[in-house]
Amino acid sequence: TITESIYLGIPVISCNTGLIPSLNEGDERIIILERGDISGLAQKILLLLENPGLREQYAEKARRYLIEKYDNKAEAKRMLRIYQEILWLEKAKK
């Protein structure tokens, strides 16, 4: 549901569990709280509700990140390069 929310332009507030923190590698794109931090959750919800610019900033940064990270064309090019390297190595062995 996190990725779906991001693609819909909804800013995300989540708990610090599993791979969720990896969405913030290199930059803060979603708000991450410790599990059970109800007070912090309420504060962050109010922060986003009261700051439309901040809401848009989080939503846009997260969306751009996912689009770049999961770009099918870029992934296909990467896979093609890997296959070409494998074929080149096989030819070099002969």
Side-chain angles (χ1 to χ4, degrees), residues 11-52:
V12 173
I13 303 172
S14 184
C15 293
N16 185 10
T17 58
L19 293 174
I20 293 170
S22 68
L23 290 170
N24 277 350
E25 286 179 359
D27 196 5
E28 186 176 40
R29 297 173 188 90
I30 66 172
I31 297 173
I32 299 178
L33 302 169
E34 291 301 317
R35 182 176 233 149
D37 184 3
I38 303 303
S39 175
L41 176 61
Q43 289 173 357
K44 296 300 183 180
I45 290 171
L46 287 173
L47 176 69
L48 291 178
L49 286 173
E50 294 169 351
N51 296 283

